[in-house]
Amino acid sequence: MDFISQLLQRGIAAARAGQTAEARRLLTRVTELDENNVPAWLWLSGVVQTMRDPRPCLENVLTLDPTNAAAQAGLKWLNAQAAEVGEHCPGCGAVLPRSGKTCPACGLLLVIACPACGEYTDVSAQTCPVCNEPLGDFRTGAAYYLALAQAYLDHSRIFVAAEITPFVEAAAGDNADYLAAVAALYEALRNSTRAAAIYEQLIAKHPMDATAYLRLGALYQHEGLLDEARTIYQQALEKAAEHPDVLFALAQVYLAQDGASQMASRYLQRVAKLAPEHAPAHLALARLYHAQGKTPLATAHGERAVALTQPETQLGQAARQEIKRIQPTQSYSLQQGWGEVTRRIIGFFLPLGLSAWTNAQLSALKISFPAWWALLFGAVGAYLWTSAAELPQNPGMVALCGKEGLTQQGSKWAVGLVGAGLWLAAFAFILAKG
Amino acid sequence: MGALLLLMLNFLLSFVFLLPLRDERGPGKRFPLMTWTLIAINIGIHIVFHLLLPPLVGEEMWKQFKWYLMEVPAAIREGVGLGALSMITSAFLHANWSHLLGNMFYLFFFGRKVEDLIGSWKFASFYLVCIFVSSLVSVMSELALPLTQGWIPSLGASGAIMGLLGAYMFLYSDQRIRTLVIVFLLPIPIKLPVWAFMLYMLVSDMSGALLEQELQALGLLYSQGVGFMAHLGGLFAGIVCAYLFLPGEVLSYRYRPRL
């Protein structure tokens, strides 16, 4: 007796002894080694785990031996069983015909088209048998329809998604999460009226939940209904006065209505206080203060927004652009006045003045006439040096050289060297007790 | 009574020493060229002046030359000697190696971060301003001393270095310095706020300066050999004059509100 025959005999013996698991293991091994083994397929059909599994075993037997009476009887019995059991509608429980597109009792969808490849498939399938696209779970009702509608939306099948969305709404019942998702679906389908109605329904059922207020307010904002949006946010604030997202949304409405408003600033400051990590609030404050000319405050909030965001995100990029927008203006504005020029010259002038005073035996009256001239030349030198090195667009240079000031590299060097030379000569003259 | 209290305070403070060990300088900073240049100039001058010059010119001549280069307040008042130039020359002379190395360590520690903010050339100008302001405060206070009346010469970079410490506090007031606090020879490593470091310097210098004044007023010739008033002048110069050398952007950054 060969090895396969030994395995077959052991499998049959196990099946007869009621050891189905062992019989299944041995008989499966026989069919793997010899797929034309009719007795193995026949005995295997009797020890498989489910009602569906015997069918391929018996079909294999009939392929190998079309006249096999046992296999024919077995298949006949299986078909009769299937007709008797049938599929039940998950909506109303009615027995379903195998080929219907909707439940004849309640109208529920039973056959769906895969959103990816368009292939029709049974609703019980969770993935498309052709392209393996996930289709959702039919047995959980609203979740299935939601997944299906979102899948259609993702694949730009707007009309099919619009057909399915009422099914999601019908299945959602009072579930707030599903209702919010349905409203979001309606929003995506540009059905704002229906979306707003569902948000209002949600607000009525869950008045303390700020999310629905926020969504409805955002919807109104998107539709340009700023007064309605503001009313909704204010209602939300009555329920949750310290909710940073509601405060931020309200500030956004004020900003959209009248630009740099005090109310917007007040709400944004509250957000920044309540949620110091709220990067959009810091960015909005930076923009607001920049528009109001409050540069240090704008810089501070802009830097905070930069610190709180990643450079690759949209918000991060916006924050970084805002800082760049603030910074050049800041240094440019500082270059405009004589005050800044004076501040910068005094530092260079001090050693000259103090030297002259020291050499005049600590009495300003004793400073000699040539020393006064040296001080004057030193001050001019310090001005030229500073203009060339740091303040090329100061008022003096603008008056002398035009609107651009001292911009050419060559003239900068020349003026800077003349200035430094004058300053050094004056300092040396004073130190030498001139 | 006041002199006695000051004497006690000075005695107690003489047992406390602060050695800064480490601060946060931040990544990507440039090499502090001017700080190292000033250190190199100071060390170079010390080597030339104390090791090479005496054998060449003789001990007596060297001493006269040294006195000529030091800052003597009474000479400045009388209009003799180098005058304002002596303020610069004395700031680059040191009494001995420990005086030099101590000052250079502080110049290195506090100079780097000040130079980071104001730039190398401006740092040199700022150092010069600190030299002048600290020297002038020292000169005027020395002239007011009843016994010596400004005839004791002084030297060293400590006035200018105190200016750097003042600027450091002005610019980095919210930072902390890892410091070795040595109390009665017991070393305690601790992270000190910059203001605490500054306060220690201020209290020790003020008490020292006041004690000198008090004891000389009582007819006692007392000196610790430290230019307390130069230190105080330097601190004042550092805090006030740092403002004059800062770029506008840095000033704006410094005055931004804390969020």
Side-chain angles (χ1 to χ4, degrees):
Chain A
M1 193 184 287
D2 64 1
F3 175 66
I4 295 174
S5 302
Q6 279 182 5
L7 275 181
L8 178 64
Q9 291 307 317
R10 283 171 57 198
I12 293 169
R16 282 183 174 150
Q19 298 166 348
T20 48
E22 177 66 5
R24 194 162 53 241
R25 190 182 67 77
L26 292 166
L27 294 167
T28 306
R29 184 78 184 119
V30 173
T31 56
E32 283 168 356
L33 294 168
D34 177 16
E35 60 179 8
N36 298 324
N37 196 316
V38 172
W41 283 117
L42 203 56
W43 277 98
L44 187 58
S45 71
V47 291
V48 288
Q49 278 180 306
T50 67
M51 281 295 286
R52 278 188 181 184
D53 293 344
R55 187 181 293 277
C57 298
L58 296 172
E59 283 171 351
N60 284 346
V61 173
L62 287 175
T63 308
L64 296 166
D65 178 14
T67 58
N68 192 303
Q72 285 171 348
L75 269 177
K76 200 175 170 184
W77 181 83
L78 278 176
N79 287 339
Q81 287 289 310
E84 228 175 88
V85 173
E87 286 280 338
H88 292 273
C89 171
C92 64
V95 178
L96 301 171
R98 294 192 68 79
S99 59
K101 282 193 172 185
T102 55
C103 171
C106 67
L108 208 62
L109 271 176
L110 298 172
V111 175
I112 59 162
C114 169
C117 67
E119 181 72 17
Y120 280 93
T121 184
D122 192 289
V123 285
S124 59
Q126 291 188 22
T127 53
C128 174
V130 177
C131 68
N132 283 328
E133 173 82 2
L135 298 172
D137 184 3
F138 180 70
R139 307 295 166 185
T140 54
Y144 164 72
Y145 283 121
L146 186 61
L148 193 61
Q150 278 165 345
Y152 278 120
L153 264 180
D154 291 345
H155 291 86
S156 306
R157 305 276 296 271
I158 308 292
F159 294 108
V160 191
E163 272 180 39
I164 296 169
T165 305
F167 285 100
V168 192
E169 194 180 342
D174 282 348
N175 187 307
D177 292 337
Y178 283 133
L179 279 176
V182 171
L185 274 176
Y186 279 123
E187 270 193 74
L189 295 166
R190 307 278 188 272
N191 189 347
S192 305
T193 316
R194 192 73 207 122
I198 294 174
Y199 285 135
E200 276 165 9
Q201 190 185 333
L202 269 173
I203 289 170
K205 283 180 183 165
H206 307 280
M208 299 309 287
D209 183 7
T211 317
Y213 291 95
L214 278 168
R215 300 287 289 271
L216 182 57
L219 179 64
Y220 283 142
Q221 257 180 285
H222 189 256
E223 296 291 314
L225 305 168
L226 295 179
D227 287 334
E228 284 81 349
R230 197 176 58 209
T231 310
I232 285 295
Y233 292 140
Q234 279 166 345
Q235 282 175 12
L237 280 186
E238 285 167 17
K239 313 287 181 199
E242 304 290 279
H243 198 296
D245 289 334
V246 179
L247 288 166
F248 180 71
L250 192 53
Q252 293 292 94
V253 173
Y254 278 111
L255 281 175
Q257 278 186 320
D258 57 356
S261 84
Q262 254 190 329
M263 290 300 283
S265 167
R266 222 173 72 188
Y267 284 123
L268 286 171
Q269 280 168 7
R270 266 175 76 190
V271 177
K273 198 176 171 188
L274 289 167
E277 312 289 298
H278 201 294
H282 286 293
L283 179 57
L285 275 170
R287 285 177 176 153
L288 189 66
Y289 286 131
H290 184 50
Q292 292 172 350
K294 295 174 181 171
T295 309
L297 272 168
T299 309
H301 284 285
E303 283 176 351
R304 189 88 181 108
V306 167
L308 289 169
T309 52
Q310 296 297 318
E312 62 273 11
T313 61
Q314 208 177 351
L315 189 66
Q317 284 172 7
R320 280 152 186 81
Q321 276 173 4
E322 187 59 27
I323 274 291
K324 276 184 192 166
R325 211 161 66 88
I326 297 166
Q327 299 288 12
T329 322
Q330 184 185 324
S331 57
Y332 182 78
S333 70
L334 281 168
Q335 290 180 21
Q336 301 308 300
W338 279 111
E340 180 65 8
V341 177
T342 312
R343 181 178 78 84
R344 298 204 187 196
I345 291 175
I346 288 175
F348 287 100
F349 185 74
L350 265 176
L352 275 71
L354 294 176
S355 308
W357 187 54
T358 307
N359 283 344
Q361 294 164 267
L362 306 177
S363 165
L365 295 174
K366 288 184 182 173
I367 296 176
S368 65
F369 190 66
W372 279 114
W373 273 107
L375 285 176
L376 180 67
F377 278 111
V380 172
Y383 170 69
L384 294 177
W385 188 1
T386 306
S387 297
E390 291 177 323
L391 302 173
Q393 284 178 297
N394 70 72
M397 281 298 148
V398 169
L400 283 171
C401 314
K403 208 169 75 178
E404 295 300 313
L406 205 60
T407 43
Q408 282 184 340
Q409 204 60 32
S411 49
K412 263 189 190 179
W413 271 101
V415 171
L417 282 174
V418 169
L422 267 178
W423 184 85
L424 272 172
F427 192 33
F429 182 79
I430 293 166
L431 284 179
K433 294 191 176 182
Chain B
M1 188 62 185
L4 196 62
L5 282 173
L6 284 168
L7 197 62
M8 280 176 66
L9 182 62
N10 260 266
F11 180 72
L12 287 174
L13 284 171
S14 67
F15 289 103
V16 181
F17 180 72
L18 304 187
L19 183 70
L21 297 176
R22 194 161 65 86
D23 58 357
E24 299 296 327
R25 192 164 166 243
K29 298 287 187 221
R30 287 179 307 160
F31 177 73
L33 184 69
M34 194 53 73
T35 304
W36 280 108
T37 305
L38 286 170
I39 291 171
I41 290 172
N42 273 288
I43 293 174
I45 287 175
H46 192 79
I47 290 170
V48 169
F49 199 80
H50 286 267
L51 299 179
L52 304 179
L53 206 58
L56 281 176
V57 297
E59 193 73 18
E60 204 55 38
M61 183 76 165
W62 177 78
K63 276 183 182 170
Q64 279 184 14
F65 187 51
K66 186 180 175 186
W67 199 88
Y68 190 67
L69 292 176
M70 286 196 291
E71 172 202 297
V72 185
I76 287 171
R77 184 186 53 195
E78 302 300 327
V80 294
L82 288 177
L85 189 57
S86 70
M87 291 178 173
I88 300 175
T89 53
S90 66
F92 285 92
L93 287 179
H94 289 85
N96 49 47
W97 279 103
S98 64
H99 186 205
L100 174 79
L101 293 177
N103 274 347
M104 290 308 103
F105 175 73
Y106 277 83
L107 170 58
F108 165 74
F109 194 89
F110 294 108
R112 294 163 308 147
K113 284 179 72 168
V114 176
E115 187 180 342
D116 282 343
L117 273 189
I118 67 177
S120 296
W121 285 109
K122 282 197 189 176
F123 179 73
S125 310
F126 174 66
Y127 192 77
L128 198 61
V129 169
C130 289
I131 286 175
F132 272 106
V133 176
S134 61
S135 300
L136 275 168
V137 172
S138 168
V139 164
M140 286 189 286
S141 63
E142 291 286 321
L143 287 173
L145 286 174
L147 292 183
T148 51
Q149 291 188 354
W151 282 105
I152 294 180
S154 59
L155 78 172
S158 51
I161 286 158
M162 289 300 276
L164 297 184
L165 178 56
Y168 190 98
M169 199 199 74
F170 176 74
L171 299 169
Y172 301 103
S173 55
D174 54 350
Q175 294 200 5
R176 284 170 176 266
I177 301 173
R178 182 163 288 283
T179 311
L180 194 67
V181 181
I182 302 166
V183 186
F184 293 102
L185 298 175
L186 179 73
I188 308 163
I190 191 170
K191 263 195 165 183
L192 270 186
V194 179
W195 64 262
F197 206 97
M198 184 79 147
L199 188 69
Y200 166 77
M201 294 292 187
L202 198 66
V203 169
S204 58
D205 282 334
M206 281 187 80
S207 65
L210 286 170
L211 185 65
E212 266 185 8
Q213 291 276 348
E214 286 277 335
L215 291 181
Q216 289 214 15
L218 292 172
L220 298 165
L221 189 56
Y222 169 84
S223 174
Q224 290 186 33
V226 178
F228 295 115
M229 288 308 287
H231 289 187
L232 291 171
L235 271 178
F236 169 78
I239 294 169
V240 175
C241 299
Y243 169 77
L244 301 171
F245 289 90
L246 285 174
E249 293 80 4
V250 176
L251 267 185
S252 171
Y253 179 79
R254 181 179 157 69
Y255 288 118
R256 78 196 194 287
R258 285 160 194 271
L259 299 177

